[in-house]
Amino acid sequence: ICLNGCGARRRAQPRLTPAARPHRYDRQMEKPADQSLASYLASLAAPTPAPGGGSAAAVATGMAAALVEMVAGLSLSKQPDGGDAALQQGARDRAAAARMTLLQYADDDAAAYSGFIEALRLPKNTNEEREARTVAISAAAVRAAEVPLQTLQVATAIANDAAALTDRSLASAASDLEVARRFARAAGRSAAENVEANLPYIEESET
């Protein structure tokens, strides 16, 4: 995924009618990191566009990270001085850090999309207003693409760690590790989809 030189791959810019434009995402609401799983899923299921797919991709990547952390931790507790202990420790530390970062990305993604919608709502009655609106939309789309791109990068790293631990971690947790790898790959692809969805709105000067 790239934000530079991707013009040939950009999709046709969709039209959002006023009726299709959502309410602003309220960052004063309880953040994903502070919500129960049931509460977050209820927020995701609500008939509002945020949180949406980008937030869900970040949370799914966080689940993959948690599983990598678990498998590495179990392996270390079983053989703290084993030949693969350094690999397991590194993977556990990276996964623990990523887990919290991804919860922040889940909140950031919803806020970024809200900013994009606010830009779409700017007036366009005069040439000056239309020009200002175009600039604002482009800047907001860059931010809306940046967050899932960050999720994609972390998902790739988590998938790589899960692959590296294959056959070098506790055998009884092999299925958990495979779930982590599959979650990370699927979440990464989902995040990439959200990056590409914003590309048509980005002006060349922003790339």
Side-chain angles (χ1 to χ4, degrees), residues 147-161:
V147 181
L149 180 59
Q150 291 170 326
T151 298
L152 170 58
Q153 291 167 339
V154 177
T156 300
I158 293 298
N160 288 341
D161 273 337

Side-chain angles (χ1 to χ4, degrees), residues 1 40 52-65 98-110 143-159 183-195:
I1 302 301
Y40 175 75
S55 177
V59 170
T61 306
M63 294 175 73
R99 181 162 50 86
M100 299 311 299
T101 297
L102 287 156
L103 287 174
Q104 183 60 52
Y105 288 170
D107 186 57
D108 290 347
D109 185 88
R143 178 57 182 160
E146 283 174 346
V147 181
L149 180 59
Q150 291 170 326
T151 298
L152 170 58
Q153 291 167 339
V154 177
T156 300
I158 293 298
F183 265 37
R185 291 181 63 186
R189 288 170 179 158
S190 301
E193 185 70 20
N194 279 267
V195 174

Side-chain angles (χ1 to χ4, degrees), residues 30-201:
E30 195 174 19
K31 295 184 178 182
D34 301 322
Q35 288 180 279
S36 68
L37 179 58
S39 178
Y40 175 75
L41 291 178
S43 298
L44 198 62
T48 56
S55 177
V59 170
T61 306
M63 294 175 73
L67 284 169
V68 168
E69 185 180 352
M70 181 195 78
V71 172
L74 284 171
S75 302
L76 285 167
S77 64
K78 188 75 171 179
Q79 289 187 307
D81 299 315
D84 294 313
L87 173 70
Q88 294 159 1
Q89 185 66 57
R92 185 175 71 171
D93 291 347
R94 287 188 294 273
R99 181 162 50 86
M100 299 311 299
T101 297
L102 287 156
L103 287 174
Q104 183 60 52
Y105 288 170
D107 186 57
D108 290 347
D109 185 88
Y113 185 72
S114 178
F116 175 71
I117 293 301
E118 289 298 305
L120 285 175
R121 288 176 171 166
L122 290 173
K124 49 182 178 179
N125 299 313
T126 66
N127 288 336
E128 290 77 11
E129 286 179 344
R130 284 190 288 272
E131 182 177 349
R133 179 177 178 272
T134 297
V135 171
I137 289 173
S138 182
V142 168
R143 178 57 182 160
E146 283 174 346
V147 181
L149 180 59
Q150 291 170 326
T151 298
L152 170 58
Q153 291 167 339
V154 177
T156 300
I158 293 298
N160 288 341
D161 273 337
L165 287 173
T166 301
D167 298 327
R168 300 182 69 181
S169 55
L170 192 65
S172 61
S175 61
D176 300 295
L177 194 60
E178 179 62 15
V179 171
R181 187 184 68 84
R182 289 175 182 249
F183 265 37
R185 291 181 63 186
R189 288 170 179 158
S190 301
E193 185 70 20
N194 279 267
V195 174
E196 291 199 6
N198 288 286
L199 295 183
Y201 297 96

